[in-house]
Amino acid sequence: MKNTSLFYSVAGFAALSAVASSCQQKQEEQKKYNIVYIMTDDHTAQMMSCYDTRYMETPNLDRIAADGVRFTNSFVANSLSGPSRACMITGKHSCANKFYDNTTCVFDSAQQTFPKLLQKAGYQTALVGKWHLESLPTGFNYWEIVPGQGDYYNPDFITQNNDTVHRHGYITNLITDDAIDWMENGRDKSKPFCLLIHHKAIHRNWMADTCHLNLYEDKTFPLPETFFDDYEGRPAAAAQEMSIVKDMDMIYDLKMLRPDKQSRLKTMYERFLGRMDEAQRAAWDKFYGPVIEDFYKKNPQGKELAEWKFQRYMRDYMKTVKSLDENVGRVLDYLKEKGLLDNTLVVYTSDQGFYMGEHGWFDKRFMYEESMHTPLIMRLPAGFDRRGDVTELVQNIDYAPTFLELAGVEVPSDIHGQSMLPLLRGEHPKDWRKALYYHFYEYPAEHMVKRHYGVRTDRYKLIHFYNDIDVWELYDLQNDPQELHNLYGQKEYEAVVADLKQQLLQLQEQYNDPVRFSPDRDKE
Ligand code: SGN
Ligand code: CA
């Protein structure tokens, strides 16, 4: 692939000059950009004020967007943690990186990843936080990860010698401490660096830091319009088990612990509480005690209970985001204080989106908007003048080629994604993709979201649910942004469907996905 990074064009020009002195080379070396990539878990754009002002303020995240760009059409390829991380780190869809789901896969750590390629090119690479790919990280000068999903309080970390160490404190603070410590004391400062900060927050069960427990309690949020969705014409949506009303656990998710009450996930919640020290537990009980008492006294039922669950979910989620926002602020302040901001690309994203009550849900997995969409904002280094919104269709497979190109490393031809650098320079390439491919595999499994693949253009979305079902869905995102009306099978959309099926097949062929739609069977 052609190498067009800003660094390289400067370097290429310099190489043409008569004398390429060692002094010049040194200057060029210093020009190499650093990359700070912050990825949270399950943080959805609805809960970031730079995307959505209805719910909460995220001033530090907004700083990134205000000083840089906000992607308005940013999506994942497979809306689940492990698969999403594998797509991101390889720049390839699940069918190529082979990490299809969280439950059966182990990432083949011998395969090509962008940190390995950066490291080979002289970058210092580091990863801290959630990894979730089962095999140990490779391609990093430094790493420290949490086992599996990690814990909110006093968590364990796996260190590079495969030891498990126990740390005291709240997870989001600890991951940030580790990241800043590596930037300050761990790396070779004569080299450019790429640091991946992978937060555990805001994953279920949304346990806030004790200092934030009292926030947002005076706020009441309107139920999303689709909260009581009846899923008409959408059998896969009807079959899920991620409903706030039906599936949210009163004790584990909503924290209504009382000795005489039982729930499916009570033991897990008790295990989480068991990690707290006395002071943390006292602060926790001080806050939740009165909430629990009030809840069981009032004993809400039916719609009143549904509304109560939604409000508690929103508040817990927001409190957990609050820590994140503050800790992103700490990273930005560090970079600023050390004079690194001008030379560093700062990326903030999530491993996928999340439902905040839309369709009545929490969790993700579906190709429907709130889950397939993921926040993506970037603070750009000097030399990149683009500001405001980038509206092109981008996907998490694009991060790897973007970082490689930024670093002046040739992008291997087997990478599926496209470098976003032209977009960051303010260009609107004519050959930019017109359709995105999506494939979700984890079924049967928790939350019971059926297997599906599909294609999304700027206007339409076509989804095929398969395996133990054979159902197609078509949405006109312009007229039906909430995806309530499945138009598949309607005569006036036949041409649209035919066109989308062609695009779908073309993408499945391009990415060599063996599980693909069969046009011949379709004609039967
Ligand atoms: C856990 C959660 C699920 C969640 C998956 C995947 N259950 O299993 O609600 O969908 O993680 O999330 S829990 O009872 O353990 O909280 S992912 O973001 O890691 O893919
Ligand atoms: Ca996740």
Side-chain angles (χ1 to χ4, degrees):
M1 231 185 224
K2 202 169 64 149
N3 204 319
T4 53
S5 84
L6 186 75
F7 163 71
Y8 245 66
S9 42
V10 173
F13 183 73
L16 290 176
S17 68
V19 191
S21 70
S22 69
C23 170
Q24 246 174 331
Q25 273 172 14
K26 210 165 171 203
Q27 277 173 0
E28 283 162 14
E29 200 57 34
Q30 282 164 358
K31 272 201 192 90
K32 285 204 172 183
Y33 296 112
N34 305 311
I35 299 159
V36 173
Y37 174 86
I38 309 172
M39 179 164 69
T40 44
D41 197 351
D42 297 357
H43 191 192
T44 192
Q46 300 94 295
M47 307 308 264
M48 288 168 69
S49 43
C50 53
Y51 274 105
D52 193 329
T53 50
R54 286 175 300 171
Y55 303 121
M56 71 174 296
E57 295 293 318
T58 49
N60 292 297
L61 301 180
D62 295 5
R63 265 162 80 187
I64 298 179
D67 293 345
V69 292
R70 179 183 80 147
F71 288 79
T72 56
N73 279 305
S74 152
F75 299 91
V76 294
N78 181 353
S79 183
L80 199 64
S81 166
S84 203
R85 286 154 209 271
C87 291
M88 181 278 286
I89 210 140
T90 60
K92 296 174 186 172
H93 279 279
S94 308
C95 57
N97 67 50
K98 309 282 185 211
F99 199 96
Y100 301 101
D101 59 57
N102 282 342
T103 40
T104 65
C105 299
V106 176
F107 186 70
D108 170 10
S109 60
Q111 69 183 296
Q112 170 185 287
T113 65
F114 80 79
K116 280 188 193 172
L117 294 168
L118 289 180
Q119 198 183 35
K120 227 165 91 191
Y123 269 66
Q124 291 270 291
T125 56
L127 157 78
V128 292
K130 182 173 173 181
W131 174 240
H132 213 198
L133 290 178
E134 299 303 321
S135 53
L136 293 179
T138 51
F140 297 97
N141 294 74
Y142 172 76
W143 59 261
E144 189 159 293
I145 57 172
V146 295
Q149 297 285 7
D151 281 292
Y152 275 109
Y153 278 88
N154 309 329
D156 290 339
F157 284 86
I158 304 172
T159 65
Q160 238 164 320
N161 357 320
N162 207 2
D163 287 337
T164 300
V165 294
H166 186 70
R167 294 252 154 78
H168 183 264
Y170 185 69
I171 187 78
T172 311
N173 303 334
L174 293 172
I175 288 173
T176 308
D177 292 347
D178 201 0
I180 293 178
D181 184 55
W182 181 77
M183 286 193 284
E184 185 58 18
N185 304 311
R187 68 191 170 98
D188 174 349
K189 287 188 176 155
S190 67
K191 294 183 175 168
F193 70 92
C194 173
L195 166 63
L196 312 187
I197 309 176
H198 288 191
H199 284 286
K200 179 248 175 353
I202 314 123
H203 194 273
R204 191 181 180 191
N205 61 340
W206 319 291
M207 286 174 79
D209 194 354
T210 48
C211 62
H212 294 134
L213 285 172
N214 289 307
L215 293 178
Y216 313 114
E217 286 298 314
D218 54 343
K219 289 204 155 78
T220 306
F221 307 98
L223 286 176
E225 277 173 48
T226 59
F227 191 82
F228 293 108
D229 192 348
D230 62 5
Y231 315 119
E232 199 196 328
R234 291 158 290 150
Q240 69 20 79
E241 293 179 2
M242 48 192 250
S243 143
I244 293 176
V245 170
K246 294 199 313 285
D247 306 304
M248 228 175 216
D249 193 274
M250 282 312 301
I251 295 176
Y252 173 74
D253 291 313
L254 297 159
K255 292 121 190 144
M256 294 301 104
L257 179 69
R258 219 170 70 169
D260 60 323
K261 301 286 175 188
Q262 301 308 321
S263 78
R264 192 173 64 85
L265 300 173
K266 180 178 181 178
T267 323
M268 188 137 77
Y269 183 60
E270 285 175 329
R271 189 179 70 72
F272 292 170
L273 293 185
R275 299 191 72 90
M276 292 179 174
D277 68 19
E278 256 178 54
Q280 291 163 340
R281 184 61 199 266
W284 193 263
D285 290 343
K286 184 169 177 229
F287 172 75
Y288 279 107
V291 181
I292 294 169
E293 205 184 306
D294 183 64
F295 172 74
Y296 287 115
K297 198 168 88 204
K298 291 194 179 130
N299 192 21
Q301 299 295 321
K303 282 209 165 163
E304 210 191 325
L305 177 60
E307 165 99 22
W308 181 92
K309 284 181 160 185
F310 172 72
Q311 302 299 344
R312 281 252 56 85
Y313 167 47
M314 291 290 280
R315 289 177 191 143
D316 288 356
Y317 188 101
M318 285 165 61
K319 293 172 197 188
T320 313
V321 172
K322 185 69 185 166
S323 281
L324 247 185
D325 184 69
E326 289 173 356
N327 276 286
V328 169
R330 287 178 62 205
V331 172
L332 293 175
D333 291 347
Y334 173 82
L335 293 171
K336 189 169 175 200
E337 192 190 305
K338 299 292 167 179
L340 288 165
L341 264 184
D342 263 7
N343 203 35
T344 302
L345 172 72
V346 182
V347 178
Y348 181 88
T349 186
S350 170
D351 64 344
Q352 8 71 201
F354 214 68
Y355 294 98
M356 300 307 304
E358 298 87 359
H359 305 285
W361 297 337
F362 63 101
D363 216 66
K364 54 268 176 170
R365 297 162 192 262
F366 278 110
M367 196 186 162
Y368 304 131
E369 287 297 270
E370 292 82 358
S371 147
M372 185 189 180
H373 182 260
T374 198
L376 179 64
I377 49 178
M378 294 186 191
R379 190 190 189 286
L380 308 181
F384 289 84
D385 298 330
R386 183 75 184 263
R387 294 291 178 272
D389 286 354
V390 177
T391 56
E392 278 85 357
L393 295 172
V394 301
Q395 205 161 22
N396 54 350
I397 51 168
D398 298 333
Y399 305 169
T402 305
F403 301 157
L404 291 172
E405 200 186 353
L406 185 79
V409 178
E410 191 166 351
V411 179
S413 58
D414 62 349
I415 280 189
H416 291 163
Q418 274 177 272
S419 165
M420 297 182 278
L421 275 208
L423 309 179
L424 300 183
R425 287 200 205 96
E427 295 162 21
H428 297 280
K430 286 215 160 49
D431 60 350
W432 193 260
R433 71 162 72 79
K434 303 281 180 289
L436 293 163
Y437 183 56
Y438 184 89
H439 199 154
F440 175 81
Y441 302 81
E442 193 177 274
Y443 179 86
E446 197 176 5
H447 302 304
M448 296 302 275
V449 173
K450 293 182 189 292
R451 292 179 192 216
H452 56 293
Y453 53 70
V455 63
R456 188 201 189 279
T457 65
D458 60 350
R459 171 97 192 245
Y460 293 104
K461 191 181 287 179
L462 180 75
I463 315 176
H464 182 210
F465 290 94
Y466 69 95
N467 185 238
D468 63 350
I469 187 173
D470 182 7
V471 170
W472 288 86
E473 296 183 7
L474 170 72
Y475 298 98
D476 178 345
L477 300 169
Q478 198 171 301
N479 294 327
D480 177 26
Q482 294 177 322
E483 299 163 298
L484 296 175
H485 307 291
N486 176 11
L487 303 170
Y488 190 87
Q490 295 194 10
K491 194 125 192 73
E492 58 271 42
Y493 289 96
E494 269 174 8
V496 172
V497 166
D499 176 51
L500 288 168
K501 279 189 175 169
Q502 208 176 2
Q503 294 193 59
L504 174 64
L505 193 59
Q506 190 266 320
L507 289 172
Q508 289 180 321
E509 277 166 5
Q510 182 186 332
Y511 300 134
N512 201 17
D513 191 340
V515 179
R516 66 179 75 163
F517 141 68
S518 152
D520 296 336
R521 234 197 85 214
D522 205 46
K523 283 185 202 116
E524 283 165 16

